[in-house]
């Protein structure tokens, strides 16, 4: 962008000098055109240097990725309070035989691999029962006891599968040696099994770790496409995918998804897949298909031990000698039993909700006393587990938004609940239950009629100003602006039907768009300049028309030659960063049109014999409106502003929505962040809020 500013300043300075010394329109146009070729060569050399400097070898890329992965999930573990007061004890056993490959087959398969098995056969257990263990041993189980290093983690809803994946990732990163695979956690909820798995994995890598967009080393590229580091690391088998949320895919595609995994990732590719038990078993037992995850051992998470759960709750309340810890005595008697409270608190999710509600943090501002956990023991009010689960979900949001001393929230519990309920309903009802909240898709929450009217007005005003001014200048008729507004409104109404807001990331030059814009502007500008020169009685109308055409072509080429890269959102890490980048895209495109209009103004001021200020002002306004209209099709930020304002006025969300979402993730533990989107901490929380 600094290069673009330098070129624009240089051209503006040259044009100003040409006007000052009265060089003439044709001479000035020739001078500018002659300067375009050196400018392009300098730009090409600059890009080539950047590309060459960006290329790194795969070993360095893998090391840097491992550091980024560790930092990301250490921070996320802190946000989720995984280690506060200590990691919740989780145990597992070998899954049922019908869910995994036969153990002798796994041993034989690993021994038959070219180059030998991935681990030491002496550490393999004699049967699958040797996979049983607990807590931090998950890394050793995966690395040493699974012959193929392909593991299926199964568990009931809220059993702790996602947290166990985080533990496994952290353990593998700590154990990692030179040239070892880098574990990366992916959420399958956004994967369409029709999309090739490796292409989707590469897109997720680029989105979350933008440095992997750098060109791959020439030695590892194949074909004519140089590729990038994300694809090269996957092709070289340097990534260990940890795939979470298989059960969050639509049930109808579960079998298709398993088949796609088997086809895309060879049996020698280590991986981990997490799913709920029932959906995975249903995918294996479909009468029309026979499919399972090739070469995978399987473990199933066990319910929490009653004594471990009670000790955890008391420790979170301050320890066995703290007065607040005694408040869990009644609950402790229900743990491990079939009572509604005992069942609901048998999973890590249930314990997390309970401790958030009944073990409040110290408050900066005194508030109402926290409820007592004994209320869960009332079998009259809570007659079954579903009633307890519903109560815990209902009480979670108010508990998360208490005015604790660490960071008091800017929103009341009622305001937060209203916003989160709206978001959950939006995801469930308008996005098919997807967990991904993308800010640029919030525009779809605005009624279609309002969206179309606003888009039509914006495009109509922009198009009307441009058409009206040009019509008035060309014909001298004062009704040019009203006529332009009418025609622009028609254009706007048609354009509004095809607007599909998507965030822009980086801007790049498109040679084809530059050429198309320049030729279009050259034609229109020549006609306009030629007609104006004849009316003014200038002696060389052809030259003046050619000069005006070159200036207009340069304006349109500069404005429309910029293209926003946006298909896979791979240039940013978080939602806030993406929003800021998209806003810059919008402003840059609008200003590019204004700068192009200023260049036209230098020529028009000479040709029409008007002052430089007036000559620049009119084309500058035209260019700015052109750039604004073009930016509306290349950026999602103005559409997000419209949606945010409309929904805030309707009291659906706070006006500072991004700050609210950031706070809900960083400080409340209600949301989690996955690349450029937010998700609810647990899919069951999203579904519960959507039903309220």
């Amino acid at each position: 962008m600094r290069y673009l500013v330098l070129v624009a300043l240089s051209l503006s300075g040259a044009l100003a000098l040409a006007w000052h010394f009265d060089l003439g329109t044709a001479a000035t146009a020739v001078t500018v055109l002659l300067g375009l070729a050196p400018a392009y060569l300098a730009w090409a050399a600059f890009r080539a240097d950047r590309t060459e400097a960006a290329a790194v070898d795969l070993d360095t890329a893998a090391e840097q990725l491992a550091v980024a992965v560790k930092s990301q999930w250490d921070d996320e573990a802190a946000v989720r309070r995984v280690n506060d007061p200590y990691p919740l004890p989780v145990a597992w056993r070998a899954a049922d035989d019908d869910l995994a490959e036969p153990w002798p087959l796994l041993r034989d398969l690993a021994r038959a691999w070219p180059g030998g098995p991935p681990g030491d056969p002496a550490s393999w257990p004699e049967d699958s029962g040797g996979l049983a263990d607990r807590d931090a041993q998950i890394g050793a189980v995966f690395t040493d006891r699974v012959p193929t290093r392909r593991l299926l983690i199964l568990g009931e809803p809220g059993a702790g599968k996602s947290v166990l994946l985080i533990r496994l990732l952290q353990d593998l990163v700590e154990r990692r040696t030179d040239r070892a695979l880098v574990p990366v956690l992916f959420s399958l909820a956004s994967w369409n099994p029709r999309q090739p798995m490796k292409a989707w994995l590469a897109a997720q890598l680029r989105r979350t770790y933008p440095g992997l967009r750098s060109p791959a080393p020439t030695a590892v590229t194949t074909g004519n496409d140089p590729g990038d580091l994300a694809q090269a690391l996957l092709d070289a088998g340097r990534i260990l995918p940890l795939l979470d949320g298989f059960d969050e895919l639509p049930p109808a595609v579960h079998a298709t998804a398993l088949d796609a995994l088997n086809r895309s990732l060879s049996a020698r590719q280590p991986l981990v897949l997490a799913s709920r038990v029932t959906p995975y078993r249903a995918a294996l037992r479909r009468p029309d298909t026979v499919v399972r995850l090739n070469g995978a051992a399987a473990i199933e998470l066990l319910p929490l031990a009653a004594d471990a759960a009670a000790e955890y709750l008391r420790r979170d309340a301050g320890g066995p000698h703290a007065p607040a810890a005694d408040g869990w005595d009644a609950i402790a008697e229900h743990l491990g039993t079939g009572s509604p409270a005992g069942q609901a608190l048998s999973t890590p999710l249930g314990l997390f909700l309970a401790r958030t509600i009944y073990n409040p943090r110290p408050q900066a501002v005194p508030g109402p006393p926290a409820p007592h956990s004994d209320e869960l023991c009332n079998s009259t009010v809570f007659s079954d587990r579903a009633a307890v689960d519903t109560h815990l979900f209902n009480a979670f949001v108010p508990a998360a938004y208490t005015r604790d001393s660490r960071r008091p929230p800017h929103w009341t519990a009622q305001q937060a609940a209203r916003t989160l309920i709206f978001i959950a309903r939006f995801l469930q009802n308008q996005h098919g239950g997807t967990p991904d909240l993308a800010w640029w898709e919030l525009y779809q929450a605005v009624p279609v009629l309002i969206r179309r009217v606003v888009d039509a007005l914006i495009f109509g005003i922009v198009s009307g100003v441009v058409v009206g001014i040009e019509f008035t200048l060309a014909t001298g008729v004062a009704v040019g602006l009203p006529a332009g507004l009418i025609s622009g409104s028609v254009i706007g109404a048609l354009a509004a039907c095809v607007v599909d807001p998507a965030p822009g990331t980086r801007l790049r030059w498109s040679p084809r768009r530059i050429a198309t814009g320049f030729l279009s502007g050259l034609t229109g500008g020549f006609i306009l300049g030629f007609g104006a020169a004849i009316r003014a009685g200038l002696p060389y109308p052809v030259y003046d028309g050619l000069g005006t055409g070159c200036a207009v072509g340069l304006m349109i080429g500069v404005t429309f030659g910029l293209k926003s890269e946006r298909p896979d959102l791979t240039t940013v890490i978080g939602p806030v960063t993406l929003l800021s980048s998209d806003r810059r895209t919008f402003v840059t495109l609008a200003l590019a049109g204004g700068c192009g209009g200023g260049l036209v103004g230098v020529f028009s001021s000479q040709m029409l014999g008007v002052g430089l200020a007036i000559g620049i002002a009119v084309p500058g306004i035209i260019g700015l409106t052109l750039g604004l209209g073009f930016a509306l099709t290349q950026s999602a930020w103005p559409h997000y502003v419209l949606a945010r304002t409309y929904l805030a006025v309707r009291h659906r969300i706070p006006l500072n929505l991004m700050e609210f979402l950031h706070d809900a993730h960083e400080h409340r533990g209600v949301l989690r962040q996955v690349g450029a989107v937010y998700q609810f901490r647990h899919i069951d929380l999203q579904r519960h809020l959507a039903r309220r």
Side-chain angles (χ1 to χ4, degrees), residues 53-184:
V56 297
D57 62 89
L58 288 188
D59 290 339
T60 301
E63 292 296 330
Q64 294 175 348
L65 177 60
V67 173
V69 166
K70 183 179 187 305
S71 175
Q72 174 191 0
W73 288 106
D74 285 350
D75 292 343
E76 190 65 23
V79 169
R80 299 190 189 190
R81 296 177 62 191
V82 172
N83 300 312
D84 179 18
Y86 56 79
L88 191 63
V90 177
W92 57 86
R93 64 172 179 85
D96 296 339
D97 292 340
D98 64 320
L99 299 175
E101 299 277 26
W103 190 256
L105 175 62
L106 294 180
R107 293 167 60 97
D108 294 342
L109 181 62
R111 286 195 177 98
W113 281 351
D120 182 7
S123 62
W124 298 345
E126 291 297 323
D127 54 48
S128 61
L131 298 177
D133 216 313
R134 58 179 295 157
D135 302 336
Q137 295 304 314
I138 183 62
V141 168
F142 176 79
T143 303
D144 302 330
R145 303 186 208 173
V146 177
T148 56
R149 292 187 180 172
R150 292 169 72 89
L151 181 63
L152 180 64
I153 298 178
L154 302 171
E156 296 303 321
K161 299 180 294 295
S162 298
V163 174
L164 190 63
L165 282 176
I166 295 176
R167 286 190 186 179
L168 175 58
L169 180 144
Q170 292 176 314
D171 189 85
L172 292 176
V173 170
E174 292 294 340
R175 290 167 172 260
R176 187 176 179 276
T177 58
D178 292 342
R179 298 189 62 81
L181 277 63
V182 181
V184 181

Side-chain angles (χ1 to χ4, degrees), residues 618-642:
V618 173
I621 294 174
I622 296 176
L624 183 61
T625 53
L626 278 174
L628 178 63
F630 182 61
L632 289 170
T633 67
Q634 295 288 301
S635 167
W637 176 73
H639 306 280
Y640 163 75
V641 171
L642 167 65

Side-chain angles (χ1 to χ4, degrees), residues 339-507:
S339 68
Q343 295 179 46
L345 300 186
S346 64
T347 66
L349 176 61
L351 288 185
F352 165 76
L353 295 174
R355 74 167 186 168
T356 303
I357 298 166
Y358 300 111
N359 284 342
R361 302 298 97 182
Q363 296 185 13
V365 179
H372 199 282
S373 60
D374 286 356
E375 65 181 1
L376 298 178
C377 303
N378 188 335
S379 58
T380 302
V381 177
F382 305 109
S383 57
D384 55 21
R385 176 176 179 173
V388 179
D389 289 338
T390 299
H391 170 74
L392 292 177
F393 280 129
N394 285 336
F396 169 63
V397 172
Y401 282 85
T402 56
R403 305 191 66 81
D404 60 84
S405 58
R406 181 169 59 94
R407 183 179 289 270
H410 299 297
W411 305 270
T412 65
Q414 292 76 15
Q415 291 171 328
R418 183 175 63 242
T419 301
L420 294 170
I421 289 172
F422 167 79
I423 292 172
R425 290 175 178 173
F426 172 70
L427 294 176
Q428 289 294 124
N429 300 332
Q430 295 182 254
H431 280 268
T434 177
D436 295 337
L437 173 63
W439 59 262
W440 58 93
E441 294 176 348
L442 196 66
Y443 190 62
Q444 299 172 12
V446 180
V448 175
L449 178 61
I450 294 179
R451 285 155 41 189
R452 294 292 181 256
V453 169
V454 172
D455 286 340
L457 288 175
I458 293 175
F459 278 92
I461 292 173
V462 170
S463 302
V465 170
V466 174
V467 175
I469 292 178
E470 290 186 350
F471 186 78
T472 301
L473 290 177
T475 64
V477 180
V479 297
L481 186 57
L485 289 173
I486 295 174
S487 62
S489 297
V490 176
I491 297 174
L494 296 175
C497 297
V498 297
V499 168
D500 183 21
T505 52
R506 297 188 307 174
L507 289 173

Side-chain angles (χ1 to χ4, degrees), residues 553-574:
L554 183 61
M555 176 190 71
I556 297 179
V558 167
T559 304
F560 292 90
L562 286 171
K563 183 178 181 181
S564 172
E565 293 182 344
R566 66 187 187 189
D568 55 5
L569 310 178
T570 58
T571 59
V572 296
I573 296 178

Side-chain angles (χ1 to χ4, degrees), residues 23 62 154 217 386 620 660 690:
L23 294 182
L154 302 171
F660 173 86

